[in-house]
């Protein structure tokens, strides 16, 4: 199986068209390439959280950087980045250009800057104080920097630093390592196009510089040059300095930034061209392709010449022809990012699923990861939603991973691992209570925590944990069924209905219970639960978790008393105003921004909610709401993101929704139909087939589906099967400015299998 390690030269020779790197004006032409619509600045400023960074990288590449600042509005950047080792992380290593040296020197200099330009494949900026123009372009495991010192009579110095490691400068080369967490190191090997005239080492205690003859060694080195223009190409590795050297020698054979940038642009074009759109406004195309670019930031491929470092057992392994991927926040990405990759790059998705199995095999307990990163599993949030990625992939026909191993690892994880959020430990008394009683017990208002394993910040999250486990058990039941374990499948399916244990029939909410089985009172569904509602929910209040039964909307309709009552309660979520000022509300629930009433567009547990009207016979309401939400909250500007984007977790929702479909239930191989934003979308599938979605006249006004056909035959249901899409074909919508309330009203999307329960 081919790695993403072919050389830059080979990639350029194979390219049919190499497009120049000049920036195209977004409003000038209808024939812009998809890459020209991508704006990494979109969403760099937001209401409270920092939703996005302008990340420069190749699709799923190990080499990622972004300017080291809090957000776009920051006045200064801290040095120049070398590599981000985790999404939204701080750069390992830093480069600080200087035009003058003082007796003492900081490890990393801070700069006022101007004329900054960020494209996915090219970063350019002017550092004002030293007057240095910087250009940067990445490959997959290597990159190139060009520094132009604009004042000829000033000094020309480059300071290289690492906060926890060592650097060595010899001749035109510089190499070293930085220590990360848990025995993981990232290694650097760099080559300069000119030999330094002087090498200096910074004393770690005094900050003073000392000149070194020959080889310089330390955690902060300063190299001085006679020439104004200096170019640096470098490789990184998680294996060794020698491997970092091989990476740069394979991928970058020259000191030409433009050549590397052209290659990067071509790689991005190959990724983004898998979805061709026609129609829509320039702003909508900008939002769409920027969102698609965001979904390629994670996971990252760690394979280097057929080997990879594993942060799960702290060893180097052969990848045996299947690249190893990591850096994924599954609580966010299982919902839409992984389903999108199944459509656009199923081979890569199967490699990622195999990577999860390797992580389980290499971990001491044999459990699946929750938030796998370069350094290992960081055990964040709640649930074990890696299971959902296996169930969804196999249900949609992907068989390029070990199904039996996936089932056994999933089964072992749910059987042994604590349900407590933000922990990786065996089950204790609270988890054993849940296995016995079917729900995670909450504390009464004001009751002191008595279980030391509960974290002081994240609390018990009792309702969120219970609902997440119910979905995980449903996904496990699907894996058991796929594997031929029918008896176990039936048992897990029954457990997937345990959310009923917390349903309050009087209020229609999922309501926390104490260990005595009583609903906790008094209770405020908007505000109870402390900061982030974490005593009972997680980052969002009860209005969001009211709908957190992704696998079984049909049963939720039953619990709420039928379709009409279900619709009333959906409307209630959207129409109930905040009971206090925004600053008061957000001081309690800072993740719950992007509000439409109590609905929060800013957070992943809300993503499927707009599509739930489809299950209750009112698809026109979904069409109206999806258009309103995207038009309101996702724009091609600095504040065009309503909350924490989570490296593709939220923007995959935008990509799907603007195409006109969405996977409400990963694990059920269907897509809900929403409202298309473009007159034509062409999906170029890995099989060589195409699936086309046409919606002539689609617009903010013409958002309602009047009728539809699938491959020329009438379609009167608000969903399509994955098999229909994967086979290739055409879905055609007739759009209008007024709702057709009868279209799709009688055949709701499928939900989990019915089970007769005795409660």
């Amino acid at each position: 199986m081919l790695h993403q390690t072919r050389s830059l030269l080979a990639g350029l020779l194979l390219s049919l068209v190499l497009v120049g790197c000049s920036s195209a004006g977004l409003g000038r032409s209808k024939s812009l390439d998809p890459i020209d619509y991508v704006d990494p600045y979109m969403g760099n400023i937001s209401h409270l959280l920092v939703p996005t960074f302008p990340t420069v990288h190749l699709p799923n590449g190990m080499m990622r950087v972004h300017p080291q600042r809090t957000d776009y509005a920051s006045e200064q950047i801290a040095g120049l980045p070398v590599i981000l080792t985790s999404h939204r992380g701080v750069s390992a290593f830093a480069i600080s250009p200087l035009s003058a040296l003082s007796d003492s020197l900081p490890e990393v200099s801070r700069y006022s800057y101007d004329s900054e330009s960020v494209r996915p494949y090219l970063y350019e900026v002017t550092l004002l104080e030293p007057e240095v123009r910087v250009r940067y372009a990445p490959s997959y495991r290597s990159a190139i920097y060009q520094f132009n010192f604009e004042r000829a009579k000033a000094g020309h110095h480059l300071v290289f630093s690492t906060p926890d490691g060592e650097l060595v400068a010899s001749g035109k080369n510089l190499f070293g390592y930085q220590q990360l967490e848990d025995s993981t190191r990232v290694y650097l090997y760099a080559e300069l196009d000119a030999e330094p005239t002087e090498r200096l080492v910074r004393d770690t205690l005094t900050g003073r510089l000392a000149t070194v003859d020959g080889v310089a060694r330390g955690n902060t080195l300063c190299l001085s040059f006679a020439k104004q223009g200096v170019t640096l190409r470098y490789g990184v590795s998680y294996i060794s300095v020698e491997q970092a050297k091989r990476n740069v020698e394979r991928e970058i054979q020259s000191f030409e930034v433009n050549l590397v940038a052209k290659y990067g642009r071509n790689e991005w074009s190959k990724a983004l061209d898998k979805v061709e759109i026609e129609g829509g406004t320039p702003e909508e195309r900008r939002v769409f392709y920027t969102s698609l670019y965001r979904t390629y930031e994670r996971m990252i491929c760690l394979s280097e010449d057929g080997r990879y470092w594993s942060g799960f057992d702290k060893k180097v392994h052969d990848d045996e022809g299947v690249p190893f991927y990591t850096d994924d926040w599954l609580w966010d990405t299982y919902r839409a990012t992984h389903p999108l990759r199944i459509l656009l790059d199923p081979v890569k998705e199967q490699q990622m699923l195999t990577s999860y199995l390797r992580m389980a095999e290499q971990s001491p307990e044999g459990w699946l990861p929750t938030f796998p990163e370069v350094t290992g599993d960081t055990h964040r949030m709640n649930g074990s939603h890696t299971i959902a990625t296996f169930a969804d992939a196999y249900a949609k026909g992907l068989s390029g991973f070990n199904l039996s191993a996936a089932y056994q690892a999933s089964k072992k994880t749910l059987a042994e691992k604590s349900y407590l959020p933000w922990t990786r430990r065996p089950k204790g008394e609270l988890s054993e209570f849940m296995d016995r009683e079917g729900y995670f017990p909450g504390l009464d208002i004001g009751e002191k925590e008595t279980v030391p394993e509960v974290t002081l910040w994240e609390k018990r999250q009792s309702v969120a944990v219970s609902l997440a486990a119910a979905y995980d058990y449903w996904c496990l039941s699907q894996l058991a069924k796929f594997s031929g374990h029918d008896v176990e499948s039936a048992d897990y399916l029954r457990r997937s209905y345990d959310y009923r244990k917390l349903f309050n029939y009087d209020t229609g909410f999922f309501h926390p219970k104490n260990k005595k089985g009583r609903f906790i009172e008094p209770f405020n569904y908007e505000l109870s639960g402390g900061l982030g509602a974490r005593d009972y929910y997680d980052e969002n209040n009860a209005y969001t978790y009211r709908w957190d039964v992704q696998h079984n909307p049909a049963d939720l309709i039953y619990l709420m008393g039928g379709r009409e009552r279900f619709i009333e309660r959906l409307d209630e979520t959207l129409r109930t105003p905040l009971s206090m000022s925004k600053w008061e509300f957000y001081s309690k629930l800072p993740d719950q921004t992007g509000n439409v009433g109590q609905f929060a567009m800013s957070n992943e547990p809300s993503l499927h909610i707009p599509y739930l009207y489809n299950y209750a016979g009112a698809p026109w309401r979904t069409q109206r709401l999806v258009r309103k939400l995207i038009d309101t909250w996702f724009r091609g500007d600095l504040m065009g993101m309503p909350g924490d984007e989570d490296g593709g977790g939220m923007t995959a929702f935008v990509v799907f929704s603007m195409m006109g479909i969405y996977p409400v239930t990963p694990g059920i191989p269907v897509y809900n139909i929403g409202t298309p934003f473009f007159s034509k979308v062409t999906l170029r599938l890995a099989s060589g087939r195409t699936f086309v979605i046409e919606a002539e006249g689609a617009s903010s006004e013409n958002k309602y589906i009047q009728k539809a056909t699938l491959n020329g035959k009438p379609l009167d249901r608000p969903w399509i099967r994955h098999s229909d899409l994967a086979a290739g074909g055409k879905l055609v919508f007739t759009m209008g400015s007024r709702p057709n309330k009868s279209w799709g009203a009688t055949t709701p999307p499928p939900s989990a299998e019915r089970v007769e329960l005795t409660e």
Side-chain angles (χ1 to χ4, degrees):
M1 202 169 290
L2 292 176
H3 299 297
Q4 289 176 313
T5 57
R6 59 190 181 278
S7 71
L8 169 61
L9 182 60
L12 288 170
L13 291 174
L14 287 171
S15 303
L16 295 177
V17 178
L18 290 179
V19 186
C21 294
S22 60
S23 179
L26 293 178
R28 278 176 40 203
S29 171
K30 293 182 180 179
S31 60
L32 294 178
D33 291 334
I35 186 62
D36 294 315
Y37 288 105
V38 174
D39 181 5
Y41 288 118
M42 177 180 156
N44 287 185
I45 304 175
S46 191
H47 302 78
L48 294 175
L49 305 178
V50 181
T52 67
F53 288 92
T55 307
V56 184
H57 64 108
L58 301 191
N60 301 110
M62 188 170 83
M63 178 64 73
R64 296 172 296 182
V65 304
H66 58 62
Q68 293 294 283
R69 58 186 177 225
T70 305
D71 62 24
Y72 179 84
S74 299
E75 263 289 285
Q76 292 185 308
I77 56 175
L80 295 169
V82 173
I83 182 175
L84 298 171
T85 58
S86 69
H87 169 65
R88 293 192 309 193
V90 176
S91 177
F93 310 107
I95 305 174
S96 300
L98 296 174
S99 59
L101 301 178
S102 58
D103 288 340
S104 63
L105 194 71
E107 291 182 26
V108 180
S109 297
R110 303 188 69 84
Y111 301 98
S112 296
Y113 60 96
D114 203 354
S115 304
E116 185 184 74
S117 171
V118 179
R119 281 161 279 179
Y121 52 88
L122 181 65
Y123 175 58
E124 299 174 291
V125 68
T126 297
L127 308 179
L128 293 178
E129 289 91 344
E131 296 184 35
V132 177
R133 183 63 180 167
V134 179
R135 302 181 75 229
Y136 168 90
S139 188
Y140 283 101
R141 298 160 194 84
S142 59
I144 187 168
Y145 263 114
Q146 182 183 77
F147 308 95
N148 183 24
F149 292 82
E150 296 180 343
R151 287 188 289 169
K153 295 183 179 180
H156 314 131
H157 314 285
L158 294 176
V159 177
F160 299 85
S161 65
T162 172
D164 186 10
E166 183 181 65
L167 295 170
V168 178
S170 176
K172 294 182 180 180
N173 301 329
L174 180 139
F175 55 89
Y177 72 91
Q178 180 166 318
Q179 191 71 41
L180 304 178
E181 301 173 15
D182 300 329
S183 304
T184 301
R185 287 182 174 183
V186 57
Y187 297 90
L188 170 69
Y189 177 84
E191 299 176 349
L192 294 149
D193 69 342
E195 185 157 347
T197 58
E198 189 175 32
R199 300 177 185 86
L200 303 98
V201 177
R202 178 184 181 274
D203 186 278
T204 56
L205 296 177
T206 66
R208 294 184 179 277
L209 292 171
T211 302
V212 176
D213 293 329
V215 176
R217 187 184 302 270
N219 69 353
T220 302
L221 306 182
C222 178
L223 307 183
S224 302
F225 300 88
K227 57 186 291 192
Q228 285 181 252
V230 179
T231 303
L232 170 83
R233 62 188 180 195
Y234 67 92
V236 294
S237 172
Y238 291 100
I239 296 174
S240 66
V241 167
E242 293 74 21
Q243 184 62 54
K245 180 180 180 181
R246 286 194 289 270
N247 290 344
V248 67
E249 289 177 342
R250 183 192 327 105
E251 294 182 351
I252 302 178
Q253 292 91 31
S254 77
F255 286 94
E256 294 294 330
V257 173
N258 286 345
L259 190 63
V260 181
K262 283 183 178 181
Y263 173 72
R265 180 187 172 93
N266 187 59
E267 291 296 284
W268 273 111
S269 292
K270 287 190 290 185
L272 301 182
D273 286 352
K274 293 174 182 177
V275 187
E276 180 184 355
I277 57 176
E278 298 177 29
T281 66
E283 172 88 350
E284 289 165 350
R285 295 194 288 273
R286 190 178 187 184
V287 169
F288 180 86
Y289 280 119
T290 301
S291 298
L292 184 56
Y293 140 82
R294 289 283 174 199
T295 68
Y296 283 97
E297 187 177 349
R298 297 182 299 157
M299 302 168 72
I300 59 169
C301 179
L302 245 58
S303 283
E304 308 174 51
D305 285 341
R307 299 185 302 155
Y308 66 93
W309 164 263
S310 171
F312 297 82
D313 64 359
K314 319 306 177 190
K315 296 178 182 178
V316 176
H317 297 264
D318 291 332
D319 70 14
E320 299 176 345
V322 180
F324 180 78
Y325 287 82
T326 190
D327 201 16
D328 194 12
W329 297 359
L330 281 147
W331 189 84
D332 306 297
T333 59
Y334 83 89
R335 306 168 195 269
T337 315
H338 282 274
L340 182 63
R341 198 156 39 232
I342 287 173
L343 278 182
L344 301 184
D345 206 335
V347 172
K348 189 179 290 184
E349 178 66 16
Q350 290 171 117
Q351 293 167 351
M352 293 176 183
L353 297 177
T354 297
S355 298
Y356 296 147
L357 295 178
R358 288 168 166 169
M359 295 171 194
E361 292 168 3
Q362 293 161 9
S363 69
E365 307 90 349
W367 301 337
L368 291 170
T370 55
F371 271 53
E373 298 189 7
V374 170
T375 54
D377 191 12
T378 51
H379 335 302
R380 308 185 202 191
M381 307 304 288
N382 56 60
S384 295
H385 298 320
T386 319
I387 302 170
T389 65
F390 291 120
D392 193 44
Y394 200 83
K396 291 174 179 172
L398 271 64
S399 56
F401 62 95
N402 189 323
L403 174 64
S404 176
Y407 173 59
Q408 294 300 329
S410 300
K411 177 181 175 181
K412 182 177 177 63
T413 301
L414 284 185
E416 298 176 4
K417 184 176 179 290
S418 172
Y419 299 115
L420 270 173
W422 290 73
T423 63
R424 185 184 179 94
R425 62 178 67 248
K427 288 183 176 179
E429 60 179 282
L430 296 178
S431 296
E432 290 166 358
F433 179 97
M434 179 161 149
D435 283 337
R436 186 171 62 251
E437 303 295 334
Y439 70 92
F440 207 70
L443 295 173
D444 286 312
I445 305 295
E447 184 181 357
K448 298 291 185 183
E449 182 58 71
T450 59
V451 178
E453 291 78 16
V454 178
T455 69
L456 294 176
W457 176 260
E458 291 298 332
K459 308 296 184 65
R460 293 192 181 190
Q461 303 179 14
S462 57
V463 175
V465 165
S466 300
L467 299 180
Y471 175 63
D472 289 340
Y473 275 111
W474 178 79
C475 292
L476 185 59
S477 77
Q478 299 302 103
L479 289 179
K481 181 173 65 175
F482 299 152
S483 303
H485 300 280
D486 293 340
V487 174
E488 292 181 353
S489 177
D491 180 56
Y492 296 136
L493 181 60
R494 283 190 291 272
R495 294 194 68 170
S496 79
Y497 277 79
D498 277 349
Y499 56 82
R500 286 184 168 193
K501 303 285 181 67
L502 294 181
F503 190 75
N504 188 327
Y505 289 89
D506 293 334
T507 64
F509 283 92
F510 289 103
H511 194 132
K513 284 182 177 179
N514 60 24
K515 61 185 178 183
K516 296 179 180 178
R518 298 182 185 136
F519 285 129
I520 292 169
E521 298 286 1
F523 203 81
N524 183 315
Y525 291 118
E526 179 185 7
L527 300 171
S528 287
L531 185 60
R534 286 180 172 86
D535 285 339
Y536 310 116
Y537 305 98
D538 184 17
E539 297 188 348
N540 305 271
N541 65 21
Y543 281 92
T544 297
Y545 283 93
R546 189 180 207 174
W547 312 104
D548 199 29
V549 187
Q550 282 178 268
H551 57 296
N552 215 341
D555 191 56
L556 198 52
I557 290 173
Y558 167 76
L559 293 178
M560 289 187 177
R563 288 183 169 189
E564 291 185 8
R565 192 73 181 108
F566 184 82
I567 290 172
E568 288 173 5
R569 284 172 167 161
L570 276 170
D571 289 345
E572 180 185 30
T573 298
L574 294 156
R575 297 173 184 176
T576 300
L578 306 183
S579 64
M580 55 185 65
S581 67
K582 287 185 178 179
W583 69 265
E584 290 177 295
F585 180 83
Y586 293 144
S587 70
K588 301 175 186 298
L589 290 153
D591 293 274
Q592 194 166 326
T593 55
N595 288 91
V596 178
Q598 296 289 333
F599 173 83
M601 188 69 261
S602 62
N603 211 281
E604 281 79 11
S606 296
L607 299 184
H608 70 291
I609 295 175
Y611 290 89
L612 293 180
Y613 287 107
N614 283 346
Y615 294 82
W620 69 272
R621 289 178 180 264
T622 284
Q623 296 155 29
R624 173 183 174 274
L625 181 57
V626 169
R627 188 81 204 203
K628 173 185 173 69
L629 291 171
I630 290 184
D631 284 351
T632 300
W633 294 114
F634 298 94
R635 305 180 312 278
D637 58 43
L638 287 167
M639 296 193 72
M641 194 70 60
D644 193 346
E645 188 274 338
D646 288 310
M650 187 180 299
T651 47
F653 163 85
V654 177
V655 173
F656 267 122
S657 294
M658 294 187 81
M659 290 194 297
I661 57 177
Y662 186 73
V664 167
T665 309
I668 296 180
V670 305
Y671 303 94
N672 270 245
I673 290 172
T675 181
F677 280 60
F678 304 105
S679 59
K680 186 177 181 181
V681 176
T682 301
L683 292 172
R684 297 188 175 95
L685 306 175
S687 63
R689 303 183 183 99
T690 60
F691 187 82
V692 177
I693 302 171
E694 288 187 357
E696 189 64 36
S699 67
S700 292
E701 293 76 29
N702 295 330
K703 55 180 163 285
Y704 295 109
I705 297 171
Q706 307 299 302
K707 60 182 180 180
T709 62
L710 179 61
N711 297 327
K713 298 179 181 179
L715 180 74
D716 191 21
R717 64 173 191 262
W719 54 279
I720 60 171
R721 297 179 180 87
H722 175 79
S723 57
D724 294 327
L725 196 158
K730 182 181 288 188
L731 176 62
V732 179
F733 297 110
T734 300
M735 308 302 293
S737 60
R738 293 289 182 270
N740 177 357
K741 297 183 180 180
S742 63
W743 181 84
T746 58
T747 310
S751 292
E753 304 93 316
R754 294 282 304 169
V755 173
E756 295 299 324
L757 301 171
T758 56
E759 297 189 56

